Amino acid sequence: MDTAVHIEAIRRDGPLLAEAAERAGLDAPVPTCPEWRVRDLLTHLGQVHRWAIRYVAEGLTEPLPLSTAAGPEGQDLVEWFRDGHRRLVAALAAAPPDLACWTFLPAPSPLHFWARRQAHELAIHRVDAQAALGAEFSPFPADFAADGIDEIIVGFHGLATSKARTRTPRTLRIRATDTEDVWTMRLSEEAPRTIRGLGPSKGTTADGAGDVEKEAVDCELGGDAGSLYLVLWNRLPLERVSVTGDASLADLWRKKSTIGRRG
């Protein structure tokens, strides 16, 4: 997906989140993040946006701790979030294509990484704000949702830190019915290895290592990309997608797929 599409997604979701947060109220609980209230959600995102801005605007090549600077009290917190969001969009839009800076997931370029990561960070937390309001979730374009699925299962769960592991080798397939995207996760005692883009008989490993024959799987999750996106981020229940095969593998995902809050 093009970097400009990610930046436009950030531009779109920021106001939706701010509006939902403002209407819900700062003390409203966030049911999709049970330990948080809306003020915690806004504070987290304001910190993440300012952290990301530094990499993009300053070209920092070494990791720095996530900002812990607290936002203002009361309703000014919403405007503080809006200000950080506007600055993030501006920094990404102004960054040169050959931006060099630190990243933590594989990407075609550092600019692509930061635009993509912040687009999905904001999209998922926009859902959290709408959940706090008790509102329907604004839908995602199918290709954007599929891109978010790819980021979590190929990106985050391709890292050595992934906890999605099994004692014996198992396979979990994710099939987006509206985009025809398919991913097959090979689970074992090691970090998952994902095959993406299965055709009639073969797929290509996510790391580009070569073709892999299509294989039978132990469990498959299927549904539209938007539903799968939110199920895989544990924002919707498994009942919102189809589960075929060994459902215990889907349950394992729910329990083991949480990722650290790196932004």
Side-chain angles (χ1 to χ4, degrees):
M1 180 171 286
D2 190 77
T3 299
V5 177
H6 289 123
I7 296 173
E8 184 55 35
I10 297 170
R11 194 189 311 274
R12 177 189 67 235
D13 278 328
L16 291 174
L17 188 151
E19 179 186 2
E22 202 163 37
R23 290 174 59 195
L26 298 181
D27 291 326
V30 181
T32 45
C33 293
E35 73 279 16
W36 276 1
R37 294 189 179 271
V38 167
R39 69 175 70 254
D40 302 308
L41 178 62
L42 290 171
T43 298
H44 169 70
L45 278 169
Q47 291 169 344
V48 167
H49 289 171
R50 288 161 174 80
W51 179 70
I53 288 166
R54 291 203 61 192
Y55 290 110
V56 175
E58 300 176 31
L60 301 180
T61 57
E62 297 293 332
L64 72 157
L66 181 64
S67 169
T68 57
E73 296 294 325
Q75 287 303 116
D76 287 344
L77 184 62
V78 179
E79 185 52 41
W80 180 76
F81 162 78
R82 286 189 172 113
D83 176 64
H85 170 259
R86 286 191 294 264
R87 290 169 53 203
L88 175 64
V89 171
L92 289 166
D98 61 351
L99 170 71
C101 66
W102 180 80
T103 64
F104 59 84
L105 292 178
S109 71
L111 179 58
H112 184 276
F113 164 80
W114 282 108
R116 185 194 204 198
R117 175 80 289 275
Q118 292 308 299
H120 292 297
E121 174 82 2
L122 185 57
I124 292 300
H125 286 317
R126 182 262 285 169
V127 166
D128 293 332
Q130 292 176 331
L133 180 61
E136 290 291 323
F137 301 154
S138 301
F140 297 103
D143 57 346
F144 177 82
D147 183 70
I149 294 169
D150 193 84
E151 189 203 38
I152 189 171
I153 63 177
V154 176
F156 280 106
H157 287 284
L159 298 175
T161 52
S162 172
K163 296 180 181 179
R165 302 179 186 222
T166 55
R167 290 187 176 181
T168 58
R170 311 294 299 283
T171 52
L172 174 65
R173 179 164 291 153
I174 314 296
R175 186 184 300 274
T177 54
D178 54 344
T179 66
E180 300 184 354
D181 288 296
V182 180
W183 300 262
T184 302
M185 299 185 73
R186 290 180 172 175
L187 304 173
S188 67
E189 292 184 334
E190 305 298 324
R193 185 165 180 259
T194 297
I195 301 163
R196 69 156 77 95
L198 283 180
S201 62
K202 291 187 177 183
T204 302
T205 57
D207 59 10
D211 286 340
V212 179
E213 293 293 336
K214 186 175 180 180
E215 61 189 88
V217 297
D218 297 296
C219 179
E220 179 172 311
L221 304 183
D224 65 88
S227 295
L228 285 168
Y229 180 42
L230 295 181
V231 164
L232 292 169
W233 274 101
N234 292 331
R235 264 51 182 197
L236 284 179
L238 276 168
E239 290 74 21
R240 293 291 295 271
V241 298
S242 67
V243 180
T244 56
D246 185 355
S248 69
L249 212 53
D251 290 334
L252 178 142
W253 174 270
R254 302 290 280 181
K255 296 172 182 176
K256 299 291 186 179
S257 65
T258 302
I259 61 174
R261 298 191 183 282
R262 299 188 74 172

